[in-house]
């Protein structure tokens, strides 16, 4: 069992103690990025996982590489070259003040990568699963071609493919996203979306929901999942359901549809330490459940519980164990000290 993830890992710089950018005189340093976050989660679950990207051949690129390696992620297929590592700045929100992100990722090594940089036949040797997100093809037409080549090769070799739609309006327009992602969906077996991705990318909207006002009608997302399944013939559709009460407090649940049945996880009331990577931790939990033969009900419960725990952890990565996730699944949610 081997999983391959392709995407961008970035340097994250954040002011400490919920300070605003304009207050900060220092930044905390971590690394992260959609598919990298999934890779680390899976490695923490003791699954063999390879992360594929392109990194600059300098000490910052090496630092990012070392960060992945310390979690047991295989980095042997990462070519070196290009100008720089992408950076993003995160101002963590608090109470009614939302978090803010500023990107500095233009001309990053992976954004200028080409199909010729990657030997996907070799990368997918022995692989059973491939994961990517909508962030990667949004980095440029050249990266979209890399993702398409990866999908074609994975499909040729019988590798299952998952995609988190992860729409980012600062990277491309809705029309660009729809055109590109529609083409890529023909290769995808399991799709993951949040409460607004399906609308932003494919125009499939949930009735009676208003994301900005924190109003989510869970039953409406059954219709969204069904429309996605009918449109693209996915094996499974998973949708995360976040009700935002404030920057610090969210309710969290998820839905899984297999074409016959809908499974809604329990809802968690979360007090948030760091919400970045919440969707990625969900995706990793979903992949873990499917690959380990969990029932669809247990798979969605595992993915939702894993993501709930991520919101309590500083940084992009979900640094929890399988036993900790299963304990929360079983109802151990009091946070009592474990001795």
């Amino acid at each position: 069992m081997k999983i391959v993830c392709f995407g961008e890992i970035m340097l994250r710089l954040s002011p400490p103690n919920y300070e605003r950018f304009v207050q900060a005189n220092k930044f905390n340093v971590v690394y992260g990025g959609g598919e990298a976050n999934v890779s680390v989660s899976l490695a923490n679950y003791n699954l063999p996982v390879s992360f594929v990207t392109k990194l600059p051949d300098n000490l910052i690129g090496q630092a990012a590489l070392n960060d992945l390696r310390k979690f047991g992620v295989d980095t042997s297929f990462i070519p070196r070259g290009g100008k720089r590592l992408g950076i993003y700045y995160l101002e963590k929100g608090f109470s009614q003040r939302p978090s803010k992100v500023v990107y500095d990722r233009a001309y990053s090594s992976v954004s200028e990568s080409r199909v010729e940089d990657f030997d996907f036949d070799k990368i997918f040797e022995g692989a059973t699963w491939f994961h990517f997100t909508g962030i990667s093809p949004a980095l440029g037409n050249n990266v979209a071609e890399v993702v398409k080549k990866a999908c074609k090769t994975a499909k040729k070799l019988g590798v299952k493919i998952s995609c988190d739609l992860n729409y980012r309006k600062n990277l491309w327009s809705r029309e660009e996203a729809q055109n590109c992602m529609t083409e890529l969906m023909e290769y995808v077996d399991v799709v993951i979306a949040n409460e607004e991705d399906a609308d932003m990318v494919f125009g499939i909207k949930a009735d009676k929901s208003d994301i900005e006002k924190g109003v989510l009608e869970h039953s409406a997302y059954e219709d969204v999942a069904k429309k996605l399944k009918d449109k693209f013939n996915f094996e499974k559709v998973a949708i995360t359901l976040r009700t935002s009460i404030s920057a610090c407090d969210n309710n969290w649940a998820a839905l899984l549809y297999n074409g016959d049945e809908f499974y809604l996880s329990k809802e968690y009331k979360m007090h948030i330490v760091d919400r970045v990577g919440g969707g990625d931790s969900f995706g990793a939990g979903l992949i873990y459940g499917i690959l380990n033969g969990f029932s669809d009900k247990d798979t969605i419960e595992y993915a939702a519980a894993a993501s709930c725990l991520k919101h309590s952890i500083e940084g992009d990565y979900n640094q929890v164990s399988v036993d900790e996730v299963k304990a929360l699944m079983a109802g151990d949610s009091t946070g009592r000290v474990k001795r």
Side-chain angles (χ1 to χ4, degrees), residues 118-146:
F118 308 98
D119 184 349
F120 283 115
D121 283 301
K122 185 174 182 180
I123 289 168
F124 285 117
E125 282 182 6
T128 55
W129 199 278
F130 173 53
H131 179 75
F132 72 99
T133 79
I135 297 172
S136 294
L139 296 176
N141 291 335
N142 54 305
V143 189
E145 287 302 313
V146 173

Side-chain angles (χ1 to χ4, degrees), residues 13-35:
L13 301 175
S14 303
N17 303 320
Y18 294 96
E19 290 180 358
R20 307 210 68 184
F21 289 138
V22 294
Q23 294 176 283
N25 56 23
K26 60 182 176 181
F27 291 96
N28 293 327
V29 174
V30 297
Y31 295 90
E35 300 88 347

Side-chain angles (χ1 to χ4, degrees), residues 6 21 29 32 80 99 141 149 156 173 190 192 233 246 309:
F6 175 87
F21 289 138
V29 174
R80 306 296 292 273
S99 297
N141 291 335
K149 176 65 174 180
K156 177 185 70 174
S173 69
V190 178
I192 302 165
N233 197 32
S246 72
L309 289 174

Side-chain angles (χ1 to χ4, degrees), residues 203-232:
I204 300 174
K205 185 175 177 60
D207 295 331
K208 302 177 184 177
S209 292
D210 189 325
I211 306 305
E212 296 302 322
K213 293 181 179 179
V215 178
L216 252 65
E217 180 61 48
H218 288 184
S219 61
Y221 286 92
E222 292 185 0
D223 185 54
V224 171
K226 187 176 187 303
K227 286 178 178 177
L228 284 169
K229 172 75 167 63
D230 291 345
K231 184 176 180 66
F232 296 109

Side-chain angles (χ1 to χ4, degrees), residues 89-286:
Y89 299 85
L90 172 67
E91 178 185 285
K92 290 173 64 177
F94 192 86
S95 190
Q96 279 68 45
R97 175 173 58 84
S99 297
K100 295 187 176 181
V101 173
V102 176
Y103 288 105
D104 178 18
R105 69 198 307 173
Y107 308 110
S108 68
S109 293
V110 71
S111 73
E112 297 191 332
S113 63
R114 298 288 188 271
V115 170
E116 295 75 25
D117 291 324
F118 308 98
D119 184 349
F120 283 115
D121 283 301
K122 185 174 182 180
I123 289 168
F124 285 117
E125 282 182 6
T128 55
W129 199 278
F130 173 53
H131 179 75
F132 72 99
T133 79
I135 297 172
S136 294
L139 296 176
N141 291 335
N142 54 305
V143 189
E145 287 302 313
V146 173
V147 173
K148 186 175 180 180
K149 176 65 174 180
C151 287
K152 282 185 172 181
T153 306
K155 189 61 66 175
K156 177 185 70 174
L157 297 175
V159 176
K160 292 289 185 181
I161 301 174
S162 59
C163 173
D164 188 335
L165 294 180
N166 253 349
Y167 176 72
R168 295 292 185 267
K169 64 182 179 181
N170 67 302
L171 291 177
W172 55 2
S173 69
R174 293 178 65 170
E175 182 179 6
E176 288 171 324
Q178 182 172 8
N179 290 339
C180 180
M181 296 303 287
T182 296
E183 187 175 351
L184 291 173
M185 288 304 100
E186 69 175 274
Y187 305 102
V188 173
D189 301 290
V190 178
V191 72
I192 302 165
N194 67 19
E195 61 279 352
E196 57 183 345
D197 282 337
D199 179 23
M200 294 297 182
V201 180
F202 298 121
I204 300 174
K205 185 175 177 60
D207 295 331
K208 302 177 184 177
S209 292
D210 189 325
I211 306 305
E212 296 302 322
K213 293 181 179 179
V215 178
L216 252 65
E217 180 61 48
H218 288 184
S219 61
Y221 286 92
E222 292 185 0
D223 185 54
V224 171
K226 187 176 187 303
K227 286 178 178 177
L228 284 169
K229 172 75 167 63
D230 291 345
K231 184 176 180 66
F232 296 109
N233 197 32
F234 300 122
E235 290 182 11
K236 299 180 192 294
V237 177
I239 300 177
T240 58
L241 303 168
R242 182 190 298 275
T243 304
S244 295
I245 300 164
S246 72
C248 305
D249 295 283
N250 290 180
N251 294 338
W252 181 258
L255 173 76
L256 183 63
Y257 178 54
N258 62 14
D260 296 312
E261 300 288 339
F262 297 96
Y263 299 94
L264 181 66
S265 76
K266 68 181 71 172
E267 185 173 62
Y268 295 95
K269 298 183 184 299
M270 306 183 302
H271 189 67
I272 297 171
V273 170
D274 192 331
R275 64 165 284 179
V276 177
D280 307 320
S281 60
F282 172 83
L286 193 78

Side-chain angles (χ1 to χ4, degrees), residues 60-72:
I60 303 302
Q62 189 63 44
L65 199 72
N66 292 350
D67 200 58
L68 291 163
R69 285 174 174 169
K70 74 183 182 185
F71 292 101

